[in-house]
Amino acid sequence: IAPFAKHVREGRPWVRLKLAASLDGRIGSAKGVSKWITGPDARRSVHALRTRVDAVAVGIGTALADDPALTVRDAEPIDGRSQPTRVVFDANARLPLDALLVRTAREVPTWLVVADDAETAALEHAGVRVLRVPRGSAGVDLDAALAALGREGIVDLLVEGGAKLAGALMAGDHLDELRWFVAPIALGAEGLASLVGPSPESPEQAPRYVLNRVERLGNDAALTLLRQRS
């Protein structure tokens, strides 16, 4: 509870990153195929995690490639809690009007974090809520984006992809927790990297995480790691 309280005081959410990767750290094959790396037990665990967070976020690349619903479907909802808010980090407001997230925006809250000069009238008319922040190296300024989500009452944010957003959050030291699902397969060096962006000059300069829990989910392993902060 204490870390969450500290984040509330600071005005930003606790940021969890979920990754499902192969033994060699790949989230897709060389041809971009990513379904399914992990098994059904791991996927059910992700849906259970969605029931406990305020919002589930993806980058625009994942939204375009997968057309996700980002809803809780394979887990029992917690009494008194509704579906988590869906958030897309989308600097240029590229989310199509026929995307599932847009078509269901009036049923389940869908928010778009965009650059302050993005054109969003059609998306807003479709029921999408827009949060405008300055541009940054990750498309939008992530410090400003997380602060904006905090002002809207998001305390616990689950980020589910993609590799560029995940890498930018790690490179900017915005991640508080990693939920890393490891499947017993190898996809090779040409497969899609799980993180794109962080490139410290030495291991000493890399953000370090503490192993908090290890679980077996079917044939997969689930590692929970917490950011080690001074």
Side-chain angles (χ1 to χ4, degrees), residues 133-150:
V133 299
R135 289 189 179 273
S137 58
V140 295
D141 183 305
L142 290 176
D143 281 306
L146 293 174
L149 291 170

Side-chain angles (χ1 to χ4, degrees), residues 141-177:
D141 183 305
L142 290 176
D143 281 306
L146 293 174
L149 291 170
R151 287 193 297 272
E152 297 297 329
I154 302 300
V155 174
D156 194 345
L157 176 68
L158 174 62
V159 179
E160 294 199 16
K164 290 183 179 179
L165 176 58
L169 287 166
M170 180 171 282
D173 200 15
H174 297 295
L175 297 179
D176 301 293
E177 180 179 328

Side-chain angles (χ1 to χ4, degrees), residues 45-121:
S45 178
V46 173
H47 280 268
L49 182 56
R50 288 180 183 177
T51 68
R52 303 196 297 270
V53 301
D54 300 313
V56 178
V58 294
I60 183 59
T62 296
L64 293 174
D66 297 346
D67 194 24
L70 300 182
T71 52
V72 177
R73 300 183 299 280
D74 201 6
E76 287 295 320
I78 297 175
D79 289 344
R81 292 188 68 103
S82 57
Q83 290 279 356
T85 296
R86 289 108 42 109
V87 178
V88 182
F89 288 78
D90 182 10
N92 297 308
R94 294 191 291 141
L95 190 65
L97 293 175
D98 62 353
L100 182 58
L101 289 168
V102 178
R103 289 187 283 112
T104 58
R106 299 191 188 278
E107 303 163 22
V108 180
T110 302
W111 297 0
L112 220 59
V113 181
V114 304
D116 45 21
D117 58 348
E119 174 53 54
T120 60

